[in-house]
Amino acid sequence: YDGNAPAPTNAGTYAVVATINDPRYQGNTNGSLVVAKATQTITFAALPSKALDDPLPLVLGATASSGLSVSYVSSDTNIAEVNTSTGAVTLKNTGITSFTASIGESANFFAAANASQALTVLPNLQTIDFAALAARTFAANDTFTISATAKGRTGNNTDLPVAFVSSNTAIATVGTTTVTSGVSSATVTVMAAGTVDITASQAGNANFAAANPNIVRPLVINKAAATVVLGSLAATFDNTPKAATATTTPASLNVVFAYGAAPGSATPPTNAGTHAVVATIQENNYSGTASGNLVIAKANQTITFPSVGSPKVVDAADFALTATAAPSNLPVTYTSSNLGVAPVTGANVDIVGLGTTTLSAKQAGNSNYNAATDATQTLTVNPVAPVITGAPALVPAAIRGSPFL
């Protein structure tokens, strides 16, 4: 081949002389050997999006099937530049640019078809530094300041304002954000006790993407302590419920009562005795409790004991006593001081002899009434008046020394 024995490798046209090498024969011939150029292709994988401040380098990795080096060019060098030979990319601004990989014709290969891939350059990433919020205790018109900072990937302040939003403005409202030296601040106004979420967000701009994720911090507003003083803890039984009262500081807070053993009843007691009572503030913004004893004293009662119609004669009929106890209406019992004159059975009086006896009406009381003072009536029993029959008529007579009747 062109005077050389080894067969050619590279593309081209080579003169060929073929000579018979045999002791029995001889001969030769001439010709040309043509080695054509080969085709080649470029493989160029899709490119992931990159943020402007992405610390990881981007190097394009297109390859040619021939193994030859690929050259690169960027369609918009304001977005990203590329080193033509190494494929190292320098990000400049947000946007989209296309990189084209190419390889020209060489001694053994035809030029390859160009291959292109688009690169999207995203704004710088940012996060939000927003510390947990300490619990507070409700106080009317209470305000305090919250702060947060938007930061770039390297921890630098982006100086962009962080917005704050309350999930429940009935519990807490958040004012307008102000930014000082990269730190965003806002005033929180406490409206009521409860739990509310405060969300911090940063929407981004041309150079920074929106912060992701938003930071949510729970804010707990505890109820304020209030004082309760029980009143009306002494009463006297009158067959109506007796309720305790309470005064609060702050004034006029709603209070619920529970009477008796825990958990207690909302119904005030009626009967005499000592009753446990617990008063609890029932308000959205305040808490407090007080306990004590409600003492309902026994009521007094009196006995009304009508006259027994004394005196009576020994042969008078039995009669009933009709004393009453008021206001208890409890049954009255009776005794006689002289059973030889008139014993009492139940409320019935039986006259058995002459003389005088004291009839007493008693009421011993019960769990709601004190014993009544005894009431008495005196009964005198006289003999039956004699009846004279058949007496002689009176004859006028004169007695000496006396005027004549």
Side-chain angles (χ1 to χ4, degrees), residues 101-314:
S102 63
I103 186 170
E105 186 175 358
S106 65
N108 293 319
F109 293 91
F110 293 111
N114 292 343
S116 297
Q117 292 292 351
L119 172 67
T120 299
V121 181
L122 302 173
N124 297 316
L125 299 181
Q126 60 175 342
T127 57
I128 297 174
D129 186 1
F130 183 23
L133 302 174
R136 299 182 72 85
T137 298
F138 173 80
N141 302 314
D142 179 33
T143 60
F144 63 98
T145 300
I146 57 175
S147 300
T149 306
K151 292 183 175 292
R153 190 192 298 269
T154 60
N156 58 301
N157 291 355
T158 66
D159 295 331
L160 297 179
V162 175
F164 301 97
V165 176
S166 167
S167 65
N168 189 342
T169 55
I171 295 176
T173 61
V174 185
T176 303
T177 296
T178 59
V179 181
T180 303
S181 300
V183 178
S184 297
S185 300
T187 298
V188 176
T189 301
V190 174
M191 308 300 291
T195 300
V196 61
D197 287 334
I198 305 297
T199 300
S201 63
Q202 211 304 304
N205 62 6
N207 294 320
F208 287 93
N212 186 24
N214 294 337
I215 304 300
V216 180
R217 298 298 187 193
L219 171 62
V220 177
I221 308 297
N222 294 313
K223 291 183 178 183
T227 58
V228 186
V229 178
L230 285 168
S232 302
L233 296 179
T236 300
F237 174 81
D238 63 2
N239 210 34
T240 63
K242 303 301 179 185
T245 60
T247 56
T248 64
T249 304
S252 302
L253 298 178
N254 185 52
V255 177
V256 295
F257 297 89
Y259 300 92
S265 169
T267 302
T270 298
N271 293 324
T274 298
H275 306 272
V277 57
V278 177
T280 303
I281 292 174
Q282 193 172 68
E283 291 277 349
N284 290 334
N285 298 326
Y286 295 93
S287 64
T289 186
S291 59
N293 290 313
L294 169 60
V295 179
I296 301 177
K298 291 183 179 182
N300 292 325
Q301 57 178 334
T302 58
I303 296 175
T304 300
F305 196 177
S307 171
V308 296
S310 181
K312 293 181 180 293
V313 294
V314 71

